[in-house]
Amino acid sequence: MNFPSIDFSWFGNGSVIALIAIIHVVISHGVAIGTIALMVTMEYRAHRTKNLALDALAKKIAKWVLIITTTMGAMTGVGIWFSTTVIQPDSIGALLRIFFWAWVAEWIVFITEVVLLILYYYTWDKWQDGRAKARHIKLGIVLAFASWMTMAIITGVLAAKLTPGLWVETHAFWNAFINPTYLPSLGFRMFLAILLAIALLSFFIRWRVKDVALRQEVFHVFGLWGAISLPAVFVLGLWYLWSIPTDAYDMIVWSTGMPENVFKTLNGIAFAILIIYLIWMIVKPKAVPWILSLIVMGSSVAFIGEFEVVRESIRKPFIIYDYMYANGLLEENREKYDEEGFLKHATWAKEREITEDNVVDAGREVFIGQCITCHTVDGWRSKRSLTNRMDGWTEDDMTSFIPTMHNVRVAMPPFMGTDEELEALAAYLSTEINGKRTNKKEVSQQ
Amino acid sequence: MIVASISPDNVLPIPAPIGLLEVLIVITFLLHIIFVNFTISLTAGAVGLETFGIIKKNRKYDNMAKIASYHASIHKSIAVVLGVGPLLMISVIYTQYFYSSTILIGKAWLSVLILLIVAFLMLYVYKFTWERWQHKKGLHLFFGIGAMAILFFVPLIFIVNVVSMLYPEQWATANGFFHSLFHYPQIWQRYLHFMLASIATGGFYFFIFYSFKKRKHVLQEDEVSLKRNGAKVGFWVTVVQLVAGFLLLFSFKPEIRMLYMGEDLLLTTLLILSIMFTLILCALLYKASEQDSGKSFLLALATFVMILGIMGWMRHELRESYLQPYLEDNPRTEHTTQNNNK
């Protein structure tokens, strides 16, 4: 515990980060990257075919892209950073130092993207005729490129958390950035963004655009992009899966919380529906059923959520693979803590030494330092609530389980600390869960 | 209880020489804060002018308000993206202090996200419904006032954070955001200084914006009004700011205040220069508000940039002075030319 800690005791610290991250991914991929590509293509097609209605629709989309990305999009992006600072300070602290210059570059691209987007929207009517329109479309292409660049940079950081590759030994920036999953995950995300945008937009188009001819035009553009993106996502997705560590690969199904056959069936069906939808769009653009577009939109957002949860979970117990555990503890400090004690090195622990009187309080500090990033005492997610998971356990059960917990449940980091600290942790958990101490010695003494 | 819980620095080295990062933090922070100033004051200006227009039943003020809201909604997007830079710098250079001060007000810190999303969406509603809701002025104003209220509140969260990081010995007794508002010194003085600066900057913005525009186009009546009144607001608020600045100075620890009042040559010079430039700016703005000459607006702009630069620099030095004793006791993991850290 190098820093103070915060406790979202009901919602769960992990859930706070996940919620913000999922909203951000839907917006950054679906709106900022995917929709911008589609929108510029629509504008281009409108210009080529002299279709004023299509141009006006593209402009309307641009307005919504502007509104959504500069509010929810930008704030949830900053929000991922805010929430990790508050909840996982050690991890984000390390990432900022490793990837500092990548972040600086990201920042500059990000400013460029926003300025271009503002220009793009506000020059729409001014740059309408002939050469000016061509310039406007070029501006759109540069904007699309800038938004893709933000992804190209941040993916380096995200991928490195799962596969830091040579960095663990060299601590060199480029080893971390160009890591084993960088290219496959970038490619995968890129085309996923297009598909997500198609799913989101086509629902609103199907719903709000009454002009069938216009709708047909739009679906024509979407169909084209979809025909490229769907196979690309499939192939790149396989490459991505193939390049992650085996331990992580084995955790994919588990991390969704679904039984394997349910997982396979659901994802298979969703993929099949998407194929049907795209084919429908290409073959019969006039008659795309709205209910189908709604299902596709829902399942796409769900898939993005699943992807994010999986990506974050399969890294467990690490937050930076082979280097830092999810609770911020470094693998290299394990022996030190086992010998000298964890609390002794925990600057912010309220109790730094264990005495007769403070056992339970000291145990709480160990819990906060080592378990709270993933667990609650009794929050809504029953799988992570220890009141649920340790229901009926005595202190002795706990003290024999915890030192081996990383072997039994591979998602968990090893416990680090002295025997006294282990007993204190058990004493705290027992008081919370059972309402009393349940150590044989203690109980018989009373 | 431990006197001040300052943890050892992250074992990974700071990714660049600290001096370089200090220069970057000053520059990036100024870029960010100037757009924040624009956003806050142009929003407040729009709401004020619209209200005034309703009371006076004069369409002219409504038009001026509309222009202000338009500018505000653009600048708010830029303010947010620019903020990422200084946040990155402060996190990397002052990890041991900034992370703790952030987490101590963690829930308020996270609430910034929701607050700003709501404020920004309200600002868009306010801007995009201007014509459509001409006859629903109450509803329209509601969105403007809502956005403004949030934008007035959020700076307090940031101020608590950057002030509390200067007072590690008071962390142990702080209890969340609202308590911290009164727990640490300087907070309200900083808030006053910041809000006045915002309003003055907004006035100054219109003065400069239309002075430039005038070189190419003939200004319309509303625009001339915005330009002159902008200079006027800039002038009067800056006069008040001269007093507020001293209130802030007197909220510092005596040892640190004395650095600005003779004990440290650099800081004292900076302070004197800043006051001098401010007086010059006031004179220029006064002239501009009296007569629509605008000849010396480039000079005013240069003076303004000087003041801004000095303020940013002094602000950084202030943090360094406060943290110096802690930095000495808790060394940072400094940048090394090779990429090894052990």
Side-chain angles (χ1 to χ4, degrees):
Chain A
M1 274 200 272
N2 289 320
F3 300 104
S5 47
I6 195 164
D7 179 11
F8 289 90
S9 48
W10 177 78
F11 196 59
N13 285 7
S15 306
V16 172
I17 296 182
L19 177 72
I20 298 175
I22 289 173
I23 298 176
H24 183 69
V25 171
V26 170
I27 295 176
S28 66
H29 289 41
V31 182
I33 294 166
T35 302
I36 286 180
L38 298 178
M39 164 185 90
V40 176
T41 317
M42 283 164 66
E43 188 193 10
Y44 174 73
R45 190 172 166 81
H47 181 54
R48 290 293 300 270
T49 57
K50 307 233 167 359
N51 185 337
L52 288 181
L54 187 59
D55 188 73
L57 181 63
K59 184 186 171 195
K60 203 175 264 171
I61 294 174
K63 179 174 172 181
W64 282 102
V65 170
L66 178 74
I67 292 177
I68 295 171
T69 55
T70 57
T71 55
M72 304 270 282
M75 289 317 300
T76 49
V78 178
I80 295 180
W81 189 0
F82 271 37
S83 60
T84 44
T85 300
V86 167
I87 292 165
Q88 305 171 334
D90 291 296
S91 138
I92 188 78
L95 289 173
L96 289 190
R97 290 197 177 185
I98 302 169
F99 290 108
F100 178 75
W101 292 108
W103 246 293
V104 171
E106 175 81 347
W107 177 53
I108 293 168
V109 178
F110 185 32
I111 297 171
T112 315
E113 182 192 358
V114 169
V115 171
L116 288 174
L117 180 59
I118 291 173
L119 281 178
Y120 181 71
Y121 176 68
Y122 289 105
T123 55
W124 199 293
D125 293 330
K126 247 184 263 167
W127 296 0
Q128 235 344 304
D129 308 306
R131 300 265 298 275
K133 188 67 182 173
R135 191 166 62 206
H136 193 258
I137 292 172
K138 273 192 205 126
L139 180 66
I141 294 171
V142 180
L143 166 65
F145 179 71
S147 72
W148 175 80
M149 271 302 286
T150 61
M151 173 186 265
I153 296 173
I154 204 68
T155 301
V157 178
L158 292 175
K161 293 207 280 179
L162 178 60
T163 51
L166 290 176
W167 176 85
V168 180
E169 282 139 43
T170 63
H171 280 205
F173 172 81
W174 286 107
N175 286 146
F177 192 81
I178 306 291
N179 61 73
T181 51
Y182 176 63
L183 284 180
S185 65
L186 175 61
F188 176 71
R189 274 172 188 276
M190 192 168 125
F191 289 105
L192 189 66
I194 304 273
L195 290 179
L196 179 64
I198 293 177
L200 293 175
L201 264 180
S202 60
F203 170 72
F204 288 100
I205 302 254
R206 177 66 187 77
W207 176 33
R208 301 296 303 239
V209 176
K210 303 282 180 254
D211 174 353
V212 180
L214 176 59
R215 221 153 63 194
Q216 184 178 357
E217 276 297 292
V218 177
F219 286 161
H220 181 81
V221 171
F222 289 3
L224 220 65
W225 269 109
I228 302 169
S229 304
L230 194 72
V233 159
F234 189 71
V235 174
L236 291 163
L238 288 181
W239 182 21
Y240 188 14
L241 279 178
W242 177 70
S243 49
I244 65 179
T246 329
D247 287 345
Y249 181 84
D250 291 340
M251 285 167 85
I252 291 179
V253 175
W254 164 84
S255 68
T256 61
M258 293 184 237
E260 181 151 2
N261 47 359
V262 176
F263 172 81
K264 284 189 172 153
T265 320
L266 276 184
N267 282 286
I269 291 177
F271 197 69
I273 292 180
L274 190 59
I275 295 177
I276 295 172
Y277 187 56
L278 285 173
I279 293 176
W280 205 312
M281 231 178 222
I282 295 169
V283 179
K284 292 180 95 182
K286 281 186 193 162
V288 175
W290 73 268
I291 187 82
L292 188 60
S293 73
L294 181 67
I295 294 172
V296 168
M297 181 173 79
S299 61
S300 303
V301 172
F303 178 77
I304 291 287
E306 176 185 293
F307 171 62
E308 275 303 300
V309 169
V310 168
R311 195 184 55 75
E312 281 291 316
S313 303
I314 58 175
R315 211 171 47 226
K316 289 203 171 87
F318 292 104
I319 195 147
I320 302 174
Y321 225 81
D322 292 338
Y323 175 69
M324 183 185 281
Y325 287 108
N327 50 18
L329 272 55
L330 296 183
E331 165 67 27
E332 65 191 31
N333 285 337
R334 187 161 157 196
E335 264 171 44
K336 185 164 87 184
Y337 290 168
D338 283 348
E339 268 162 38
E340 301 171 14
F342 165 72
L343 292 177
K344 189 170 158 240
H345 293 281
T347 317
W348 274 87
K350 294 211 177 72
E351 311 291 339
R352 313 255 326 247
E353 252 164 71
I354 302 181
T355 62
E356 293 265 304
D357 312 321
N358 74 352
V359 180
V360 173
D361 292 333
R364 176 188 299 119
E365 298 302 309
V366 177
F367 174 77
I368 293 173
Q370 299 201 17
C371 320
I372 208 171
T373 19
C374 308
H375 289 290
T376 57
V377 172
D378 55 357
W380 66 279
R381 261 183 91 184
S382 54
K383 273 205 151 180
R384 295 296 180 84
S385 143
L386 289 185
T387 305
N388 176 42
R389 299 298 297 245
M390 292 180 137
D391 185 26
W393 292 28
T394 65
E395 277 176 47
D396 301 311
D397 298 336
M398 295 174 186
T399 47
S400 60
F401 170 77
I402 292 173
T404 62
M405 65 183 196
H406 58 291
N407 298 326
V408 184
R409 298 282 180 194
V410 289
M412 279 199 270
F415 171 78
M416 299 190 197
T418 59
D419 288 346
E420 268 187 315
E421 286 170 341
L422 174 62
E423 280 158 24
L425 174 61
Y428 166 69
L429 289 173
S430 173
T431 338
E432 285 287 342
I433 296 164
N434 304 319
K436 57 172 196 268
R437 298 287 308 269
T438 49
N439 180 309
K440 278 199 206 90
K441 264 190 299 183
E442 297 277 333
V443 176
S444 59
Q445 269 168 13
Q446 280 164 7
Chain B
M1 200 71 232
I2 320 114
V3 184
S5 319
I6 298 169
S7 52
D9 195 18
N10 196 313
V11 292
L12 297 171
I14 292 178
I18 290 185
L20 171 65
L21 296 178
E22 288 184 42
V23 173
L24 288 178
I25 197 175
V26 172
I27 295 174
T28 56
F29 176 73
L30 285 175
L31 285 174
H32 163 64
I33 208 69
I34 187 92
F35 281 92
V36 173
N37 287 335
F38 291 159
T39 307
I40 292 179
S41 63
L42 298 180
T43 306
V47 170
L49 285 165
E50 186 180 18
T51 316
F52 200 64
I54 296 171
I55 296 169
K56 290 259 164 174
K57 298 208 172 43
N58 187 338
R59 192 59 211 251
K60 181 179 135 192
Y61 295 107
D62 198 67
N63 288 341
M64 284 162 67
K66 187 179 164 193
I67 298 176
S69 83
Y70 186 89
H71 285 240
S73 106
I74 290 181
H75 291 320
K76 67 112 193 31
S77 307
I78 298 179
V80 167
V81 284
L82 283 176
V84 171
L87 189 62
L88 181 58
M89 305 297 160
I90 200 174
S91 304
V92 169
I93 322 180
Y94 301 109
T95 311
Q96 294 146 288
Y97 311 92
F98 184 68
Y99 280 49
S100 296
S101 62
T102 303
I103 301 169
L104 285 173
I105 56 160
K107 290 183 184 175
W109 189 244
L110 292 183
S111 77
V112 167
L113 309 173
I114 298 169
L115 288 172
L116 287 185
I117 289 175
V118 173
F120 292 171
L121 287 173
M122 290 179 96
L123 213 50
Y124 275 121
V125 173
Y126 188 56
K127 173 172 97 165
F128 282 124
T129 58
W130 205 286
E131 295 306 325
R132 215 176 317 151
W133 288 355
Q134 266 306 329
H135 299 288
K136 292 186 207 153
K137 273 294 182 196
L139 181 64
H140 187 246
L141 257 181
F142 167 79
F143 281 92
I145 292 174
M148 181 181 84
I150 297 176
L151 291 178
F152 277 21
F153 176 70
V154 169
L156 277 173
I157 302 178
F158 282 82
I159 290 175
V160 166
N161 196 349
V162 296
V163 168
S164 79
M165 72 178 268
L166 306 179
Y167 293 93
E169 74 280 8
Q170 294 198 34
W171 288 343
T173 47
N175 183 14
F177 168 71
F178 289 101
H179 175 258
S180 298
L181 278 176
F182 301 95
H183 181 64
Y184 299 100
Q186 290 188 38
I187 289 182
W188 294 97
Q189 289 88 339
R190 277 198 190 220
Y191 183 67
L192 179 67
H193 190 59
F194 169 78
M195 291 306 286
L196 289 174
S198 286
I199 295 171
T201 308
F204 189 73
Y205 171 83
F206 275 130
F207 167 59
I208 292 296
F209 184 83
Y210 287 113
S211 295
F212 267 107
K213 200 168 173 192
K214 198 179 155 193
R215 304 216 287 193
K216 287 204 190 133
H217 308 267
V218 179
L219 294 185
Q220 289 169 358
E221 196 203 334
D222 308 333
E223 300 181 326
V224 175
S225 246
L226 272 173
K227 174 166 166 275
R228 281 185 67 174
N229 287 313
K232 202 178 272 173
V233 167
F235 170 75
W236 283 109
V237 178
T238 307
V239 169
V240 180
Q241 183 72 294
L242 279 167
V243 181
F246 276 98
L247 288 181
L248 179 59
L249 184 63
F250 279 86
S251 68
F252 299 161
K253 272 189 216 162
E255 308 89 273
I256 287 184
R257 186 190 324 134
M258 290 316 291
L259 297 177
Y260 287 83
M261 300 177 68
E263 279 184 14
D264 185 286
L265 185 63
L266 173 71
L267 293 182
T268 311
T269 315
L270 286 177
L271 182 64
I272 293 174
L273 278 178
S274 74
I275 297 171
M276 275 167 40
F277 279 118
T278 308
L279 292 173
I280 297 175
L281 184 66
C282 280
L284 292 169
L285 286 174
Y286 183 74
K287 232 180 86 202
S289 65
E290 284 299 294
Q291 36 173 294
D292 183 24
S293 74
K295 248 183 264 147
S296 48
F297 84 95
L298 282 177
L299 192 60
L301 184 60
T303 319
F304 178 79
V305 172
M306 286 300 290
I307 298 175
L308 202 69
I310 295 174
M311 285 296 158
W313 189 359
M314 281 205 289
R315 183 179 177 283
H316 174 69
E317 292 297 336
L318 178 74
R319 176 163 50 216
E320 285 285 309
S321 317
Y322 266 93
L323 288 181
Q324 200 189 17
Y326 305 104
L327 290 171
E328 275 163 16
D329 291 348
N330 305 276
R332 294 179 277 198
T333 322
E334 295 213 20
H335 179 66
T336 47
T337 29
Q338 299 94 25
N339 237 327
N340 59 352
N341 65 315
K342 281 168 204 154

